[in-house]
């Protein structure tokens, strides 16, 4: 069998696809390939998730919608299956291996899981397969991880890359927002260690992906996602800085106007950047750079972004009239069940440290999940909104907008302040009912009310003390320890140089944290 037969071997049923890690990325990879008739086996350490998948049930919130089809029949019919026994993936019938595991923890690059998976895959050396198995990393990598970390693991096990095993990078860009922006339709950059590998990747990924973009090699494909998200990270940081620098303007309105220029994206201020990708991107790029001292813009971006939730906390504390806060949304964004780097898991414990009572609602999480992840008690929406003098809307889930304005206003009977990160309630006339309302970046955003004797508003200073350390969600479990209440202290200057990784050979990079 020659390299050109990879596609035929898979679609004909002669060979299978293996998926390592069944979170958002891994599960969607399984479903898309199985939907095209390819036999797929996936492995995950989460026994409960594996059982759910094999019953044909959806293990990830709203995945049926994002996929654009219901995959239950694929698992019930045996085209795809999951297992906790990874050794079942080391088989002559498995030709292609997708690595879809988390590569971050606590908001920083983390390689232990990747190392474990790669060492397990090296067991393929015992099979001496021809054609050689193809290994594709879909996870986001710190630049140079492939050459300095992954390939050495293969070679130390006696596998010559390009001969005994083919290796390439094809990072995922999925937003998991609509079926129209899916693995099938989005442009995807791919690259192998040589031309033959890239050809095998094209043949394999072309079964599902309609828009493949070939990079010069795996190094270029590896770095693309981190850099493209670092660009976005800088733009968002600038939006937050502009809102602080021009409090007399509605900076959201300004940025909307800026976005009318034909070659401009539109980014808005927020409570903080969340999710798996953007908050990590700058860290990936800084850590992988040969000369990170030149990346001063990214250093400042990290400092600005990581301080942003603290600025919100500092503002609320310094107001002096905030005692009971209700937070809507544990997820970092709307209509998803992902809490990685969510502003809520940083803001809630910090407020509690300052003696402010905090409760959290998210209709996509159980009460026990809310307690474990945020450290706060849950409350019912909209029934319990009357408990709070301040409400923060972190994630604009569609359910929060599915009530008449009069219902929301009645429920907020004792509320004095609403900060709406999502802009979900912008059309409600809060001020007519004595409620101060802000979306991030509007006029007087995070500016303290002027004292009665003064007409000059005082801006709340920045707070940049490190926030509570919260494990990042890897998509496989929410059973993490409660958040500790090491909240935010007085404002302090951040030295961007302290964020520079001096050497990509740092043990934290090579061995994982």
């Amino acid at each position: 069998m020659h390299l050109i037969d990879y596609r035929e071997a898979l679609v004909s049923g002669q060979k299978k696809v293996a998926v390592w890690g069944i979170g958002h990325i891994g599960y969607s990879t399984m479903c898309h390939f199985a939907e095209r008739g390819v036999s797929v086996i996936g492995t995950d350490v989460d026994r409960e998730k594996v059982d759910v998948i094999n019953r044909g049930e959806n293990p990830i919130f709203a995945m049926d919608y994002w996929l654009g089809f219901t995959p239950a029949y694929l698992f019930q019919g045996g085209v795809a299956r999951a297992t906790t026994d990874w050794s079942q993936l080391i088989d002559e019938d498995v030709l292609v291996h997708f690595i879809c595991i988390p590569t971050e923890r606590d908001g920083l690059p983390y390689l232990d899981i990747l190392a474990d998976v790669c060492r397990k895959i090296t067991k393929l050396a015992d099979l001496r397969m021809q054609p050689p198995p193809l290994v594709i990393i879909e996870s986001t990598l710190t630049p140079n991880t492939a050459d300095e970390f992954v390939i050495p693991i293969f070679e130390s096990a006696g596998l010559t890359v390009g001969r005994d095993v083919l290796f390439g990078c094809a990072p995922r860009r999925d937003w998991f927002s609509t079926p129209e922006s899916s693995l099938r339709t989005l442009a995807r950059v791919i690259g192998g260690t040589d031309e033959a590998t890239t050809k095998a990747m094209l043949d394999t990924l072309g079964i599902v992906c309609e828009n493949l973009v070939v990079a010069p090699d795996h190094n270029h494909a590896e770095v693309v996602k981190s850099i493209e998200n670092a660009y976005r990270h800088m733009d968002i940081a600038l939006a937050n800085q502009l809102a602080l620098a021009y409090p007399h303007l509605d900076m959201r309105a300004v940025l909307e106007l800026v976005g009318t220029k034909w070659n401009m994206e539109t980014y808005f201020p927020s409570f903080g950047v969340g999710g798996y990708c953007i908050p990590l991107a700058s860290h990936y790029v800084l850590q992988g750079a040969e000369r990170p001292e030149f990346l001063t813009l990214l250093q400042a971006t990290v400092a600005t972004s990581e301080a942003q939730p603290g600025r919100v906390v500092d503002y609320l504390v310094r107001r002096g009239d905030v005692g009971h806060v209700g937070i809507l949304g544990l997820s970092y964004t709307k209509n998803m069940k992902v809490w990685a780097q969510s502003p809520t898991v940083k803001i809630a414990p910090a407020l509690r440290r300052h003696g402010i009572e905090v409760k959290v609602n998210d209709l996509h999480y159980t009460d026990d999940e809310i307690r474990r992840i945020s450290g706060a008690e849950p409350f019912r929406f909209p029934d319990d909104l009357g408990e709070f003098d301040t409400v923060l809307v972190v994630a604009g889930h569609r359910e929060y907008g599915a009530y008449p304005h009069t219902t929301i206003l009645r429920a907020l009977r004792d509320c004095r302040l609403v900060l709406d990160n999502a802009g979900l309630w912008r059309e409600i006339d809060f001020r007519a009912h004595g409620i101060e309302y802000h979306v991030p970046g509007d006029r007087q955003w995070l500016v303290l009310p002027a004292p009665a004797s003064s007409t000059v508003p005082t801006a709340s200073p920045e707070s940049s003390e490190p926030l509570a350390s919260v494990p990042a969600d890897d998509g496989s479990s929410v059973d993490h320890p409660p958040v500790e209440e090491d909240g935010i202290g007085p404002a302090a200057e951040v030295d961007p140089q302290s964020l520079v990784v001096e050497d990509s050979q740092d043990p934290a990079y090579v061995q994982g944290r």
Side-chain angles (χ1 to χ4, degrees):
M1 183 179 294
H2 302 290
L3 294 182
I4 59 173
D5 295 324
Y6 276 73
R7 176 189 178 96
E8 180 60 27
L10 293 172
V11 298
S12 67
Q14 300 174 54
K15 297 292 183 179
K16 302 177 182 178
V17 160
V19 175
W20 298 78
I22 318 179
H24 285 72
I25 298 300
Y27 182 69
S28 58
T29 293
M30 291 183 70
C31 293
H32 276 292
F33 273 93
E35 195 256 347
R36 301 295 293 170
V38 176
S39 295
V40 183
I41 179 171
T43 186
D44 198 280
V45 297
D46 188 336
R47 164 62 68 182
E48 182 179 357
K49 172 184 282 189
V50 165
D51 291 342
V52 166
I53 290 172
N54 286 333
R55 289 196 301 267
E57 300 173 13
N58 191 344
I60 297 172
F61 175 79
M63 184 58 80
D64 289 8
Y65 172 71
W66 295 328
L67 289 172
F69 60 91
T70 301
Y73 71 99
L74 300 171
F75 296 91
Q76 293 167 349
V79 180
R81 67 182 180 90
T83 179
T84 57
D85 180 8
W86 62 268
S87 66
Q88 294 184 29
L89 281 62
I90 306 301
D91 188 281
E92 290 184 350
D93 289 338
V94 177
L95 183 60
V96 179
H97 295 258
F98 288 98
I99 299 178
C100 311
I101 47 82
T103 52
E104 52 81 26
R105 179 170 290 182
D106 297 341
L108 294 170
Y110 177 78
L111 297 176
D112 284 8
I113 302 173
L114 177 62
D116 178 65
V117 168
C118 289
R119 291 188 185 104
K120 288 171 178 174
I121 290 177
T122 62
K123 301 299 181 183
L124 292 169
D126 299 332
L127 302 181
R128 300 185 180 278
M129 292 174 57
Q130 286 299 322
L134 170 62
V135 177
I136 299 174
I137 294 186
E138 296 196 295
S139 304
T140 305
L141 297 179
T142 300
N144 301 314
T145 297
D147 282 353
E148 298 178 6
F149 189 83
V150 175
I151 292 176
I153 291 177
F154 291 148
E155 292 179 341
S156 66
L159 290 168
T160 298
V161 172
R163 185 190 69 190
D164 305 316
V165 62
L166 306 186
F167 172 75
C169 297
R172 292 279 292 271
R173 286 170 160 169
D174 306 57
W175 172 233
F176 294 108
S177 57
T178 68
E180 289 74 31
S181 299
S182 70
L183 178 60
R184 184 181 304 282
T185 59
L186 290 173
R188 186 174 188 185
V189 176
I190 69 169
T193 57
D194 55 33
E195 290 185 10
T197 299
T198 300
K199 175 64 166 60
M201 294 176 70
L202 280 168
D203 289 346
T204 299
L205 294 171
I207 296 172
V208 169
C209 304
E210 298 172 354
N211 191 1
L212 296 173
V213 182
V214 176
D217 55 31
H218 65 293
N219 301 121
H220 291 78
E222 173 189 51
V223 75
V224 164
K225 184 175 179 181
S226 293
I227 290 181
E228 65 194 20
N229 279 328
Y231 263 115
R232 297 182 66 198
H233 200 190
M234 287 193 296
D235 287 337
I236 295 168
L238 178 60
N240 281 317
Q241 290 181 350
L242 288 169
L244 297 171
Y246 291 88
H248 68 290
L249 293 176
D250 182 344
M251 189 52 62
R252 291 183 70 92
V254 172
L255 292 172
E256 286 177 353
L257 295 171
V258 169
T260 63
K261 188 172 186 287
W262 62 271
N263 61 347
M264 294 292 295
E265 295 278 355
T266 302
Y267 297 95
F268 296 113
S270 69
F271 292 179
V273 182
Y276 296 109
C277 299
I278 294 177
L280 275 298
S282 295
H283 286 291
Y284 284 127
V285 176
L286 284 166
Q287 189 158 301
E290 297 173 53
R291 304 182 68 180
E293 65 272 15
F294 288 107
L295 296 174
T296 55
L297 293 178
L298 284 188
Q299 295 160 18
T301 293
V302 170
T304 295
S305 295
E306 294 187 351
Q308 189 67 7
R311 296 186 183 100
V312 175
V313 171
D314 188 71
Y315 167 75
L316 294 175
V317 171
R318 289 172 181 267
R319 282 180 62 99
D321 62 350
V322 175
H324 302 274
V325 175
I327 299 179
L328 294 176
L330 178 55
S331 294
Y332 81 95
T333 192
K334 64 181 181 180
N335 307 325
M336 294 184 72
K337 188 179 179 181
V338 177
W339 60 270
Q341 308 305 310
S342 168
T344 296
V345 298
K346 302 175 183 180
I347 291 172
L351 288 174
R352 292 174 62 222
R353 179 179 179 273
H354 285 281
I356 296 174
E357 180 183 329
V358 181
K359 293 186 178 181
V360 174
N361 172 275
D362 195 307
L363 303 172
H364 303 152
Y365 291 82
T366 67
D367 287 354
D368 285 343
E369 288 172 341
I370 288 173
R371 292 187 183 98
R372 287 198 298 267
I373 297 167
S374 72
E377 285 297 309
F379 71 92
R380 297 172 301 163
F381 175 85
D383 306 50
D384 297 338
L385 287 176
E387 297 181 17
F388 310 112
D389 53 61
T390 300
V391 171
L392 309 183
V393 184
V394 172
H397 296 321
R398 58 175 62 91
E399 293 88 347
Y400 296 148
Y403 288 85
H405 294 182
T406 52
T407 300
I408 298 298
L409 290 168
R410 280 197 301 267
L412 294 171
R413 55 186 176 273
D414 293 324
C415 184
R416 293 189 293 270
L417 174 66
V418 173
L419 301 184
D420 187 354
N421 188 53
L424 188 70
W425 292 344
R426 281 178 295 181
E427 295 181 1
I428 300 178
D429 189 2
F430 286 104
R431 287 179 172 80
H433 294 78
I435 300 173
E436 185 178 351
Y437 175 83
H438 291 283
V439 292
D442 68 2
R443 198 184 304 272
Q444 303 302 305
W445 168 243
L446 299 187
V447 173
L448 295 174
S453 59
S454 173
T455 59
V456 180
T458 303
S460 175
E462 298 181 8
S463 175
S464 52
E465 184 175 317
L467 292 149
S469 176
V470 183
D473 186 356
D474 64 0
S476 61
S477 174
V478 295
D479 192 11
H480 296 292
V483 177
E484 294 183 1
E485 292 187 12
D486 55 345
I488 302 162
E493 292 295 327
V494 174
D495 177 10
Q497 294 299 326
S498 67
L499 300 168
V500 176
V501 179
E502 295 295 338
D503 190 340
S504 62
Q505 296 300 317
D506 182 84
Y509 172 78
V510 177
Q511 300 298 330
R513 295 181 62 254

